Amino acid sequence: VNQRKLDQEVKTLQVQAAQFARQSGHWIAMVESFNQALKEIGDVENWARSIELDMRTIATALEYVYKGQLQPSCS
């Protein structure tokens, strides 16, 4: 009788362990997906900073050219 009870407990434990392994796999996949999304956000942020720096450089250059055109030439 004890052996049958132990066998039943072992089967139950195996089922529960398999369920836990599947659930852990789902959690790992969710964390990896979240981590990838964070990396992509970081990539977009870096891209935006690069574009902003380029635009500031262009604006400064245009302002320099515009101011140069306003000043009368000395010749």
Side-chain angles (χ1 to χ4, degrees):
V1 174
N2 286 341
Q3 184 63 41
R4 276 185 260 153
K5 286 182 181 179
L6 283 174
D7 290 343
Q8 184 61 36
E9 289 293 324
V10 167
K11 288 178 185 177
T12 301
L13 183 60
Q14 288 174 335
V15 168
Q16 290 175 347
Q19 289 173 342
F20 180 72
R22 279 192 301 275
Q23 185 64 45
S24 296
H26 291 302
W27 291 338
I28 290 170
M30 287 173 50
V31 168
E32 288 175 352
S33 176
F34 181 70
N35 191 35
Q36 183 62 33
L38 287 177
K39 287 180 184 178
E40 290 173 5
I41 289 171
D43 291 344
V44 170
E45 185 178 0
N46 288 336
W47 173 80
R49 283 185 185 148
S50 177
I51 294 297
E52 181 181 12
L53 180 61
D54 290 348
M55 294 304 291
R56 287 178 192 249
T57 302
I58 291 169
T60 301
L62 289 173
E63 184 179 348
Y64 178 76
V65 169
Y66 178 74
K67 286 181 180 179
Q69 289 177 351
L70 289 179
Q71 296 177 357
S73 59
C74 296
S75 45

